[in-house]
Amino acid sequence: MFFWFVCYLVVVWLISASDESCPELPSVENGIIVIKEVEGQILGTCLCIKGYHLVGEKTLFCNASVEWNAPVPTCHLGHCPDPVLVNGEPSSLGPVNVSDKITFKCNEDYILKGSNWSQCLDDHTWMPPLPVCKSRDCGPPGSPAHGYFEGRDFNSGSTITYHCEDKYHLVGTRNQQCVDGEWSSALPICELIQEAPKPIPQTAFEKALFAFQENKELCKAIENFVQRLKENDLTMEELKYSLEKKKAELEAKMLSWHCN
Ligand SMILES: *[C@@H]1O[C@H](CO)[C@@H](O)[C@H](O)[C@H]1NC(C)=O
Ligand SMILES: *[C@@H]1O[C@H](CO)[C@@H](O)[C@H](O)[C@H]1NC(C)=O
Ligand SMILES: *[C@@H]1O[C@H](CO)[C@@H](O)[C@H](O)[C@H]1NC(C)=O
């Protein structure tokens, strides 16, 4: 004769003050559900026996709506969940026993991220956590605001070059390479180029000159300029000196235009 050892232990505490009660939970093969009341809420915690692991929600609760918040979990053969490694291969596919150690290998063109081994612990978990196999190729890189990249190949070993729009300059790494699934540097940024501030007029004369340059209408500009000179008692000496300085832009204009 062959006997399955099945534990059908369900402990139920009902809320005595409540008219309504939570529906009784079905028993769990190879596990138990421990039910207790915590702050007016009924909690059910499912535990699997050695050699089995839980699939589903470990803890259920039943509240005023008098329903369990999730379906009853089940206990499956294998002390820890069967190891899964997408694009790779664990040394055992399960079921596993407690304290079993397994190792991992990734397929070609994939790189292992995490530990290349793991052990099934008493509490049904894998430690270190299961690794993942990541492609050696990179995804399309991002572009910084006001910038873009040049390059069409994002495979392992390929390079791209970042550029910024006009009036922006690049801060960071311009040329980047795809190395084991990741771009070699962080995304650069495109910074606005700060234009040199306009010189602030100093003397009354410079103010007059500045006003002249800012004026779009030449005749008005000259009129205004002469007016300002008079107002400030500026001498021709000063004017001469400044005309030397601003010859190209000022004198040329004054001579080549005729005012009515
Ligand atoms: C009771 O649980 C259900 C299911 O999770 C939820 O939708 C509902 O809001 C809960 N009610 C109270 C009173 O907590
Ligand atoms: C787990 O243990 C059982 C008996 O104790 C054994 O038959 C089985 O091969 C073990 N499984 C693994 C994956 O080692
Ligand atoms: C796991 O990685 C270590 C180094 O990190 C290495 O020495 C060992 O050979 C690897 N084991 C397997 C199974 O790949």
Side-chain angles (χ1 to χ4, degrees):
M1 278 291 245
F2 193 78
F3 291 97
W4 283 104
F5 178 70
V6 178
C7 185
Y8 283 117
L9 178 59
V10 178
V11 187
V12 181
W13 289 6
L14 296 176
I15 312 174
S16 49
S18 173
D19 299 335
E20 312 197 70
S21 58
C22 293
E24 209 173 302
L25 285 168
S27 53
V28 175
E29 279 193 34
N30 303 301
I32 56 166
I33 296 184
V34 179
I35 298 192
K36 57 182 176 177
E37 190 194 323
V38 179
E39 289 166 4
Q41 204 175 48
I42 302 178
L43 291 181
T45 305
C46 185
L47 304 168
C48 296
I49 58 167
K50 212 177 187 111
Y52 290 80
H53 66 276
L54 190 92
V55 175
E57 293 282 334
K58 181 176 183 179
T59 301
L60 307 176
F61 67 86
C62 177
N63 58 16
S65 66
V66 198
E67 267 179 22
W68 293 99
N69 70 323
V72 178
T74 50
C75 292
H76 290 241
L77 187 63
H79 190 73
C80 286
D82 293 344
V84 175
L85 189 63
V86 180
N87 298 310
E89 222 181 296
S91 57
S92 161
L93 293 169
V96 290
N97 294 331
V98 65
S99 72
D100 276 358
K101 261 190 190 174
I102 54 171
T103 56
F104 306 98
K105 267 205 180 111
C106 288
N107 300 342
E108 222 176 297
D109 295 329
Y110 288 86
I111 187 161
L112 191 104
K113 293 272 171 181
S115 170
N116 65 0
W117 66 276
S118 191
Q119 186 169 27
C120 176
L121 300 190
D122 251 335
D123 68 357
H124 309 275
T125 61
W126 289 105
M127 211 58 204
L130 302 186
V132 291
C133 291
K134 215 172 157 249
S135 171
R136 282 186 191 276
D137 295 337
C138 292
S143 284
H146 305 289
Y148 57 96
F149 64 83
E150 224 173 25
R152 290 183 179 181
D153 189 2
F154 309 142
N155 295 339
S156 182
S158 56
T159 56
I160 53 162
T161 304
Y162 280 102
H163 299 281
C164 290
E165 292 168 5
D166 281 355
K167 294 186 184 167
Y168 289 85
H169 71 105
L170 188 126
V171 179
T173 312
R174 185 177 292 280
N175 297 307
Q176 305 215 3
Q177 188 171 27
C178 174
V179 180
D180 287 342
E182 274 164 32
W183 294 102
S184 52
S185 301
L187 195 63
I189 55 172
C190 289
E191 235 179 37
L192 190 63
I193 295 166
Q194 295 294 321
E195 281 176 32
K198 281 186 182 174
I200 297 156
Q202 307 259 302
T203 64
F205 180 69
E206 273 169 348
K207 274 186 200 163
L209 261 186
F210 185 73
F212 176 85
Q213 286 171 311
E214 291 290 287
N215 212 319
K216 279 193 181 123
E217 244 182 274
L218 184 71
C219 296
K220 260 208 180 139
I222 294 170
E223 208 174 289
N224 192 277
F225 179 65
V226 172
Q227 179 70 24
R228 271 170 182 268
L229 289 183
K230 272 189 203 157
E231 273 172 21
N232 290 288
D233 289 330
L234 289 164
T235 64
M236 285 314 281
E237 202 54 33
E238 274 176 278
L239 179 62
K240 219 169 122 192
Y241 161 75
S242 196
L243 280 180
E244 288 294 321
K245 256 170 74 180
K246 305 268 176 185
K247 216 181 208 163
E249 62 212 78
L250 188 60
E251 207 173 19
K253 275 186 191 169
M254 288 176 89
L255 295 177
S256 62
W257 281 73
H258 301 281
C259 304
N260 302 318

